[in-house]
Amino acid sequence: MAALILPAGLLVVLLMVAPMLLLARISLNQFSPTEMMVEAMSPENYIRAVQDPYYRSVLLTTMVVALGCTLLCLALGFPTAYWLARMQSRWKSIATILILFPLLVGNVVRSAGWIALLGNEGAINAALRGLHLIEAPLPLLYNAFAVVVGIVAVVLPYMILTLSAVIEGIPRQTEEAAANLGARPLTAFRRVVLPLAIPGVAAGSVLVFILCMNAYATPVLLGGPQFKMMAPAVYDQFVRGNNWPFGAALAFILLFATMVLTLVGSALIGRRYRR
Amino acid sequence: MGDLVLEALTKRYGGTVAVEDVDLEVRQGEMVALLGPSGCGKTTTLRMVAGFITPSAGHVRIAGQDVTRRPPYARDTGMVFQSYALFPHMSVAQNVAFGLEMRRVGRTERETRVMEALRLVRLDHLADRLPGQLSGGQQQRVALARALVVNPAVFLLDEPLSNLDAKLRGEVRMEIRSLQQRLGLTTLIVTHDQEEALTMADRLVVMERGRVRQVGTAEELYESPRDPFVAGFVGRCNLIEGQPEGTAGFRARGGALLPCTTAAAPVGTGGVLALRPERIALAAAAPGEGAARLEAVTYLGAQTEYVVDYAGTSLVVIRATPPEGDPLRRLAPGDAVALTWDPAAARLLPAQ
């Protein structure tokens, strides 16, 4: 058995752990405009990133957007997931494919679609102006709103499918029993369905939150130059600034923030619904 | 508590009829069993009473009130599901308390009533366990307590014993019945197991393809079935197609003339003769004598089952296993036998 796991294990070490270690090492180096990188063992990149108000605000924006998107996905995804899970007919597989459909289109292409829809000359503003409902175009693009809309559209299927798998495991009779005992639909949902769906809520939220924290193409294309999230900031340091040590430090700060928030969130959800 | 009345209750799905024109009255404190093969509409009927299925036509009245259009949570029914449907994330006590919470019963009274209900099903020592930590029989009793604690007007049981093993089934059956009688619960139980229905219910409703075939006590259904389906479904029965020949008896399609009292039936109309296997007496006959030949003998312990070819008609005979040394004990397939029965025991039923 061990012999069978070994090759795959080595591959994982090689492809995942090694680059991470390398990146960790780079993050402790010093940046030099002439030589790019000077060997060092100093936390100065981390200190700079944490002290710089710009990167603090980028990190905060990233966390707020990721959290907002996750909550939005939960709110939008739960009813859909419930509906999908309780679907009996042969339409179920068709509905599943439809929900997966957005994932067939790449991030960049999809963002182009959002630009065409949300831009000042886009479909929505054109329609509203055509109807004389507004004078000046609504600022729908190149702001947080556009980024949230764009990200949610990408990650929602993950949330729906994760939740629906868990909801399918909750027997219909359990809900009927609640109704039979006098629980109105909302009460039955709150007392029976939601607590039993918590593993799905936790798994879906973690998955979606991680995807949101690391979103790259959508914030770049729909956020515009003023709106910065962490993944594009890391990229800027590596490619535009050639500052690998600082980029690596930012990457680890993003990783750390994602991990901490994920663990805290899971713990909170777990404690709330332990019983 | 109250009575339950179904009036012309009907459920159609598109073109197919699941339940048609079911009329039934379950009196206060009475236990009535809906009995029938799978797909006969018994579960659909029960679910219409609980409110999970909206009838296409007809009415459901509980304690005099028309509840046909009321949602499940506004009907005063207590249901025990086939799968028990306990809330897996709540303790036994929380499960039982749920219905009381929904009825806004105060905490002190709630706790008293929960413990009372758990004592009733002898589970008060397991109040803090989760359902997953209980055996099937214990889960079943939690489900009973959860439904009973709210004092529902109507108690509904959906195949409550089908997930239990045979030994436990007998015990739980007696337990449900004694609870039901002690508390005077108006009860509707669905089952496909005739033994269950015969032993538990005051009256039985035999259903087939969405329709009620016959309503009556176990004895009425067994002794005077109205049609061949009921005769064959409640207990075992020889059902022989043919036609009555006045006082001579009943002429089976296979040619045999079977003694029976069919005075009321006009000669020439087709019918089915119903003859219970245990009403036929069997005796050994000398070779060549007697019109019947033994085809198969199955030893079942207390009883022995014989399949006999009676002049071209196959009849099943069930007798108490004869004692050791009795010549009947040595009967083997191929032997000649003589069959006799009281002509009054053979009932003429209309053809299906």
Side-chain angles (χ1 to χ4, degrees), chain B residues 271-304:
Chain B
V272 172
L273 195 71
L275 185 55
R276 298 281 177 196
E278 74 279 5
R279 296 295 174 83
I280 306 175
L282 178 132
E289 233 180 89
R293 255 167 46 88
L294 197 57
E295 282 183 332
V297 181
T298 312
Y299 172 79
L300 298 170
Q303 297 177 323
T304 299

Side-chain angles (χ1 to χ4, degrees), chain A residues 169-188 190-196 273-275, chain B residues 47 50 52 72-75 77-79 81 83-90 94-95 98-99 101-103 146-147 150 156:
Chain A
I170 304 173
R172 191 88 232 211
Q173 275 84 349
T174 327
E175 284 172 72
E176 289 179 347
N180 182 254
L181 290 165
R184 287 161 181 276
L186 262 178
T187 312
R190 194 171 52 80
R191 295 288 309 272
V192 175
V193 180
L194 190 57
L196 292 176
Y273 286 100
R274 181 70 39 81
R275 290 154 63 81
Chain B
R47 291 174 63 80
F52 300 133
Y73 58 83
R75 297 184 184 201
T77 67
M79 181 147 167
F81 293 81
S83 58
Y84 316 143
L86 298 177
F87 307 130
H89 58 301
M90 298 184 199
Q94 287 171 327
N95 263 279
F98 190 85
E101 275 181 64
M102 294 303 120
R103 284 161 175 76
R146 187 178 67 173
V150 296
L156 303 173

Side-chain angles (χ1 to χ4, degrees), chain A residues 78-264:
Chain A
F78 207 108
T80 320
Y82 182 84
W83 168 78
L84 184 70
R86 290 289 181 245
M87 218 171 173
Q88 296 287 340
S89 62
R90 62 206 152 92
W91 295 105
K92 186 169 186 157
S93 51
I94 293 172
T96 310
I97 291 169
L98 280 178
I99 286 165
L100 280 172
F101 213 72
L103 299 180
L104 297 179
V105 186
N107 272 341
V108 175
V109 177
R110 200 197 341 251
S111 293
W114 283 116
I115 291 171
L117 203 63
L118 301 175
N120 282 353
E121 305 301 323
I124 293 176
N125 275 319
L128 288 176
R129 261 195 289 190
L131 292 167
H132 299 290
L133 289 170
I134 51 168
E135 300 276 304
L138 295 175
L140 299 175
L141 193 59
Y142 302 129
N143 52 25
F145 168 80
V147 173
V148 168
V149 167
I151 293 179
V152 165
V154 181
V155 296
L156 192 54
Y158 294 100
M159 179 66 95
I160 292 173
L161 294 181
T162 312
L163 280 175
S164 131
V166 174
I167 295 172
E168 253 178 77
I170 304 173
R172 191 88 232 211
Q173 275 84 349
T174 327
E175 284 172 72
E176 289 179 347
N180 182 254
L181 290 165
R184 287 161 181 276
L186 262 178
T187 312
F189 173 81
R190 194 171 52 80
R191 295 288 309 272
V192 175
V193 180
L194 190 57
L196 292 176
I198 281 304
V201 170
S205 301
V206 166
L207 181 65
V208 161
F209 182 74
I210 291 173
L211 287 173
C212 294
M213 284 292 279
N214 295 292
Y216 175 76
T218 315
V220 166
L221 293 170
L222 299 182
Q226 302 300 317
F227 188 88
K228 265 283 174 280
M229 279 174 70
M230 280 299 269
V234 172
Y235 174 84
D236 284 351
Q237 288 303 318
F238 271 88
V239 177
R240 299 228 184 108
N242 270 328
N243 190 341
W244 286 23
F246 190 64
L250 283 183
F252 271 97
I253 288 170
L254 175 60
L255 178 71
F256 183 70
T258 310
M259 256 165 54
V260 167
L261 288 178
T262 302
L263 292 176
V264 167

